[in-house]
Amino acid sequence: MHVENSLSRTYIELDERYGARNYKPLDLVVDHAKGVWLWDADGKRYLDCISAYSAVNQGHCHPRIEAALVEQASKVTLTSRAMRNTQMGPFLEKLTGLCGFDLALPMNTGVEAVETAIKLARRWGYEVKGIPDNAAEIIVFTNNFHGRTTSIISASSEPAYRKQFGPFTPGFVIVPYGDADALERAISPNTCAILIEPIQGEGGVIVPPEGYLKRAWAMCKEHNVLFIADEIQTGFGRTGDLFACDYDSIKPDILVVGKALAGGYYPVSAALANEPLMRLFTPGDHGSTFGGNPLGSAVAIAALDVLVEENLTARARYAGAKLMQGLRAVSSPLVRDIRGRGLLIGIQLTVPAKKLSQALLDRGVAAKDTHDHVLRIAPPLVIDDDAIDFLLEKYREALTAL
Ligand SMILES: *Cc1c(COP(=O)(O)O)cnc(C)c1O
């Protein structure tokens, strides 16, 4: 590693000295960024293929989102929901219009929006479906990632996320991802919802079999079960459709969004649903001090405008196809599989993905392993042809060096 005796090293030492060690990041200390490029504390440039886990789909430091942030920051930043503000309504109007739902409930982080969806589905289970008190079940899937709260890790099949964090929240049933028959068998009269990622991001960019989501959705309709799509990572153009569910032409009952909703400037998330369902929340049931705050709302309006006006979904489809073709043209005994959709790509390796991640980092590309043997490639959607060529050249070099 060539970060010894550098400014970067001093920042890494500060992190290690004063921070809890709940992450193992790359040895890359970002000082500033623009579009798809990052510059470290020593001035070296990197292509960002992580995009803050798809929160920066619009590219780093987009001038239009920045302007919205600065303007709103000098007016009012936080009111709490004890009163109203001029930004939340226009934000929710834009969000619901774009996503095709009647109503939205704004939160901050992704996991809070997932929690919101779970509470709404349970409420519906008792009040509308007539499930006996405290018996509601939500079906989740092996290898899922929905966040890190105590309840959400109760739905996880990943030992590392759960170890010594029990006791867990009951009411989750885990079935194998991609197996429609197993899902059908798991549905009981007490099932209020399934909670699913249309493509599993953290799980290693797992694309389910063709037709699976559509079957799962149809089963939900047949058995009076809500379909909750967690599109926190796959949403807002990442997969070459506005939402990954669009690929299968299905509309979830509850859509959960976050990450790119505010272009990386602010944590903004939301759960969306139609009229009768979302109206099951009444004053006092649920909320958040920062949810729907004017600063986050103003930023999210600009982030959604950028997404639409710059046609980022179409760009993801085009750039994703070009990148996928380029990656597949590189033959290497270390590569077992390359999969994904749009600009959410996973490279399954025969060696630990950390090795390729480090070899790429040495050559100016930031990409991270997920689930040991998978390297995820998910650059901002604004990536151009030159940057794709740069990435492919470094990818070829890195594989050869290994
Ligand atoms: C990142 C992510 C979350 C959690 O979002 P946070 O903002 O980290 O709480 C939930 N679901 C999916 C699919 C994600 O990728």
Side-chain angles (χ1 to χ4, degrees):
M1 254 167 279
H2 43 235
V3 284
E4 310 307 326
N5 304 319
S6 65
L7 263 176
S8 292
R9 178 51 61 194
T10 62
Y11 290 111
I12 291 169
E13 279 164 7
L14 281 175
D15 286 2
E16 296 294 313
R17 169 70 182 78
Y18 294 106
R21 302 223 176 121
N22 55 325
Y23 276 96
K24 183 75 191 82
L26 301 175
D27 278 337
L28 167 55
V29 181
V30 178
D31 177 70
H32 59 282
K34 189 79 192 162
V36 297
W37 298 102
L38 309 166
W39 283 266
D40 75 9
D42 297 291
K44 189 182 170 200
R45 190 182 76 154
Y46 300 81
L47 178 66
D48 184 4
C49 290
I50 302 172
S51 309
Y53 301 116
S54 295
V56 195
N57 285 2
Q58 296 87 339
H60 289 278
C61 295
H62 195 291
R64 194 156 158 198
I65 311 176
E66 181 190 332
L69 178 103
V70 170
E71 191 190 333
Q72 188 60 42
S74 66
K75 289 174 77 183
V76 63
T77 55
L78 183 62
T79 54
S80 83
R81 297 294 300 275
M83 59 191 81
R84 299 182 191 266
N85 68 70
T86 61
Q87 300 301 309
M88 189 183 89
F91 159 52
L92 297 180
E93 181 183 30
K94 192 167 288 270
L95 177 66
T96 53
L98 185 66
C99 300
F101 286 86
D102 296 339
L103 301 163
L105 193 157
M107 296 294 281
N108 311 286
T109 62
V111 75
E112 291 173 298
V114 178
E115 291 272 2
T116 303
I118 288 171
K119 286 166 82 172
L120 182 58
R122 285 180 169 181
R123 168 68 56 86
W124 174 87
Y126 301 122
E127 201 156 311
V128 179
K129 187 167 175 173
I131 295 171
D133 231 12
N134 294 322
E137 290 169 355
I138 294 178
I139 297 175
V140 295
F141 299 86
T142 49
N143 217 25
N144 72 67
F145 184 81
H146 300 293
R148 301 288 202 161
T149 61
T150 316
S151 279
I152 305 291
I153 61 163
S154 304
S156 176
S157 62
E158 174 60 47
Y161 300 164
R162 293 167 55 98
K163 190 181 154 209
Q164 295 173 341
F165 293 142
F168 298 105
T169 304
F172 297 104
V173 176
I174 305 181
V175 307
Y177 187 68
D179 184 342
D181 296 326
L183 172 57
E184 182 129 59
R185 283 194 299 276
I187 294 175
S188 84
N190 290 342
T191 307
C192 64
I194 73 167
L195 168 61
I196 191 163
E197 300 156 89
I199 294 175
Q200 291 185 327
E202 298 311 299
V205 191
I206 311 293
V207 183
E210 203 67 33
Y212 167 72
L213 279 184
K214 216 167 183 138
R215 257 197 87 190
W217 182 85
M219 269 176 220
C220 287
K221 296 300 113 189
E222 188 188 334
H223 296 282
N224 196 24
V225 167
L226 299 177
F227 186 103
I228 307 172
D230 178 349
E231 294 239 26
I232 290 168
Q233 186 159 157
T234 51
F236 299 122
R238 172 56 56 188
T239 65
D241 287 294
L242 184 60
F243 292 102
C245 282
D246 297 345
Y247 178 87
D248 293 271
S249 308
I250 54 175
K251 191 171 172 205
D253 299 292
I254 306 176
L255 175 68
V256 185
V257 294
K259 292 197 167 123
L261 177 50
Y265 272 88
Y266 208 85
V268 179
S269 67
L272 294 106
N274 278 342
E275 261 302 333
L277 179 55
M278 189 65 96
R279 292 291 183 223
L280 294 173
F281 276 137
T282 57
D285 288 345
H286 189 56
S288 156
T289 303
F290 282 81
N293 73 76
L295 186 58
S297 297
V299 164
I301 289 171
L304 292 176
D305 282 342
V306 166
L307 193 82
V308 171
E309 287 169 30
E310 295 188 11
N311 285 315
L312 294 187
T313 300
R315 286 180 74 172
R317 192 177 315 153
Y318 163 79
K322 183 178 155 83
L323 180 55
M324 183 66 100
Q325 190 180 31
L327 291 171
R328 285 189 170 146
V330 181
S331 81
S332 164
L334 303 181
V335 177
R336 271 184 49 197
D337 185 29
I338 304 181
R339 56 182 179 249
R341 207 186 294 148
L343 281 172
L344 182 57
I345 295 174
I347 303 171
Q348 176 102 37
L349 300 162
T350 57
V351 294
K354 273 189 175 60
K355 290 191 172 173
L356 182 55
S357 169
Q358 187 58 48
L360 284 168
L361 194 66
D362 293 342
R363 290 166 178 78
V365 174
K368 207 161 182 331
D369 52 291
T370 179
H371 271 242
D372 299 348
H373 287 76
V374 181
L375 189 83
R376 179 171 35 192
I377 305 280
L381 310 186
V382 296
I383 190 167
D384 63 14
D385 285 357
D386 288 347
I388 291 174
D389 290 340
F390 173 86
L391 168 55
L392 290 171
E393 184 191 319
K394 300 303 166 189
Y395 174 70
R396 231 175 278 121
E397 284 175 23
L399 277 177
T400 308
L402 292 182

